[in-house]
Structures are given as structure tokens and as C-alpha cells.
């Protein structure tokens, strides 16, 4: 598979098959993803892997914890302006339309959102942390690492969904993982094999035309 094909094939998968992923495959993906660039080669990503039995344990642990933690960062800016606001609400509308969930069906939307909390059925997850001393440039390095990981996962026939959702359960996750105080969670990511028959996975998110965000000077 070439890079263009992997970029094109990757999408956020929100229903996984239960088939397991081996630790070795994950280790290989993480090692390869660490070829991602980072300013000053700091390699600021700190990754925790939950797979197999530890995923079973996490699934048992989560209901014993408070359902919501105060996130440590703003997932979106307050008072999001256009066109970002439209993009944000657009993907939600597109998702619920794909599933045939009506705008008024608050419970239906809530149910779909709640699948975040079960990793959309994935057998594995990674959590991306960063040392608290790091700033905006290093946070962008995390993104480069994560996208590299996601593309390599596609090449392996795997699928992913990055999940900032976990920032609202960061205390529960950090307790389970036993992360040190100096590390802060950015996001989680569900990893596994896509359920190709699931309606939700037919969602192809939109992108703005180039004219709206590129200017050749
Ligand atoms: C850092 C990050 C966090 C995300 N968090 C979530 C999440 O918590 N739940 C979710 O369903 N999707 C999440 N997404 C997926 C985005 O909604 C998705 O990437 C976007 O709509 C574009 O769709 P695509 O990934 O299918 O191309 C996240 C994506 C990124 C990059």
C-alpha cells in the first residue's frame, strides 16, 4: 500500500470486530510510528498500551470510577467561530444522519456517543500522554506521531479512532494506567479491525475546498 492509499483509506472507525490484535503488531506499529518528526527530535509522546486482558480489566474498572472528570484542556475553543463551528456540528449531523438518528432523538445521540466509553468495541487502545513541561509545539508533535501510527495501522489492515473523549475521563484512565503526575493525557485511540458491515463505518467525513484554507501568495 502506498502512502496516498493509506491516507485515503484511513477514517475514524466507530465499530470494531472483537478480533484480537497482538502486542507484537502494536509494538511494531509504535516503533515505526516513532519515525515521525518532532521539533528538536524531542519525541515527546508517551504511550500507554491497553490490550487483551488489560483491556478486559479496564472495561471492568471504568464503571467503578466517576463518569466524568474535569478535562485538563479545552477540547475546543470556547465560542468557536466560523467556519470551524459549522465543521464541528457538520460531522455530528453527518454521523447521526448516517445512522438514521433524528435531530430530536437526544437519547439516540447519547447512546451513540456513549460507545466512546467502550472503545467502540475495540480490543486494544493506546493512550497518548505528554510531559507537562511541554508546550504547543510538542503537542503538535503528538499529532504527527498519532497520524503516522494511524496510517501504519491502515497498512496492517487495522483501523483506529482517535478519542479526545478520554480527556473527560482522564483521572479514571490515569489511575488505571498508573501514570506519573508530570504526565498529562492528550487522547486515547481505539485500535482493532473495522466491522466493515457497520453502518457507522460508512461515514466519509467532509473536507473544506482548498480555496477556503489555502492561499498561494
Ligand atoms: C485528536 C483527535 C481526537 C478525536 N476524538 C474523537 C472522539 O473522542 N470520539 C470520536 O468519535 N471521534 C474523535 N475523533 C475523530 C474525528 O471526529 C475525525 O477525525 C474527524 O471527524 C474526521 O473524520 P475522519 O477521521 O473519519 O477522517 C478525534 C480525532 C482526533 C484527531
Amino acid at each position: 500500500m502506498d502512502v496516498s492509499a493509506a491516507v485515503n483509506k484511513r477514517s475514524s472507525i466507530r465499530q470494531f470486530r472483537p478480533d484480537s490484535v497482538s502486542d507484537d503488531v502494536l509494538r511494531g506499529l509504535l516503533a515505526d510510528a516513532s519515525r515521525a518528526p518532532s521539533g528538536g527530535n524531542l519525541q515527546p509522546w508517551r504511550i500507554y498500551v491497553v490490550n487483551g486482558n488489560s483491556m478486559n480489566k479496564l472495561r471492568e474498572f471504568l464503571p467503578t470510577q466517576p463518569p466524568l472528570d474535569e478535562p485538563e484542556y479545552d477540547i475546543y475553543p470556547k465560542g468557536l467561530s466560523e467556519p470551524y463551528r459549522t465543521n464541528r456540528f457538520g460531522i455530528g449531523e453527518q454521523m447521526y444522519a448516517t445512522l438514521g438518528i433524528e435531530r430530536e432523538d437526544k437519547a439516540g445521540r447519547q447512546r451513540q456517543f456513549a460507545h466512546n466509553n467502550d472503545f467502540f468495541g475495540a480490543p486494544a487502545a493506546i493512550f497518548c500522554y505528554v510531559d507537562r513541561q511541554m508546550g504547543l509545539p510538542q503537542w503538535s508533535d503528538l499529532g504527527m506521531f498519532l497520524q503516522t501510527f494511524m496510517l501504519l495501522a491502515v497498512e496492517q489492515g487495522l483501523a483506529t479512532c482517535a478519542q479526545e473523549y478520554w480527556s473527560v475521563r482522564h483521572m479514571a484512565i490515569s489511575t488505571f494506567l498508573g501514570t506519573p503526575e508530570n504526565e498529562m493525557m492528550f487522547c486515547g485511540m481505539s485500535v482493532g479491525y473495522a466491522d466493515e458491515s457497520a453502518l457507522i463505518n460508512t461515514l466519509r467525513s467532509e473536507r473544506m475546498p482548498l480555496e477556503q484554507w489555502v492561499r498561494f501568495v
Side-chain angles (χ1 to χ4, degrees):
M1 175 178 272
D2 61 29
V3 178
S4 306
V7 169
N8 211 26
K9 186 163 168 44
R10 187 214 58 80
S11 66
S12 294
I13 289 301
R14 297 186 179 88
Q15 195 166 317
F16 290 86
R17 291 194 269 125
D19 311 50
S20 60
V21 182
S22 81
D23 278 352
D24 281 346
V25 165
L26 294 173
R27 205 173 278 114
L29 287 175
L30 291 165
D32 289 345
S34 75
R35 296 309 307 173
S38 57
N41 201 23
L42 255 57
Q43 305 163 67
W45 40 82
R46 291 293 173 269
I47 304 295
Y48 295 85
V49 181
V50 177
N51 189 23
N53 198 33
S54 67
M55 183 53 117
N56 296 338
K57 286 193 173 137
L58 178 54
R59 284 195 161 102
E60 286 167 17
F61 178 75
L62 283 169
T64 69
Q65 298 299 298
L68 272 184
D69 301 318
E70 185 66 32
E72 292 200 276
Y73 64 90
D74 288 332
I75 297 179
Y76 305 110
K78 293 185 179 74
L80 200 60
S81 65
E82 291 299 347
Y84 311 107
R85 192 171 180 280
T86 294
N87 289 347
R88 182 188 166 191
F89 287 101
I91 186 64
E93 291 307 319
Q94 217 192 324
M95 190 187 310
Y96 297 121
T98 302
L99 294 170
I101 299 173
E102 303 288 337
R103 183 184 290 268
E104 302 73 36
D105 184 2
K106 290 261 168 17
R109 290 180 170 221
Q110 200 59 43
R111 265 198 305 280
Q112 172 54 34
F113 181 76
H115 291 313
N116 268 289
N117 197 55
D118 190 41
F119 303 91
F120 305 107
I126 63 170
F127 291 94
C128 180
Y129 281 70
V130 65
D131 196 293
R132 291 176 190 279
Q133 69 186 297
M134 302 299 176
L136 295 177
Q138 290 76 43
W139 278 65
S140 90
D141 296 339
L142 303 183
M144 294 193 221
F145 173 86
L146 292 167
Q147 168 72 336
T148 306
F149 179 91
M150 291 194 280
L151 295 180
L152 290 165
V154 167
E155 189 190 40
Q156 287 286 320
L158 286 163
T160 54
C161 187
Q163 290 183 278
E164 278 169 335
Y165 166 78
W166 293 107
S167 67
V168 300
R169 299 211 69 186
H170 68 95
M171 303 246 286
I173 296 295
S174 298
T175 304
F176 180 83
L177 299 173
T179 58
E181 248 313 297
N182 62 299
E183 287 181 9
M184 175 172 167
M185 183 205 285
F186 168 37
C187 67
M189 185 189 291
S190 297
V191 184
Y193 296 95
D195 180 347
E196 307 283 1
S197 67
L199 206 50
I200 185 75
N201 292 338
T202 64
L203 175 63
R204 179 83 179 160
S205 57
E206 291 167 359
R207 295 295 187 270
M208 293 192 292
L210 236 64
E211 301 74 54
Q212 287 187 27
W213 53 273
V214 180
R215 192 157 62 95
F216 283 76
V217 179

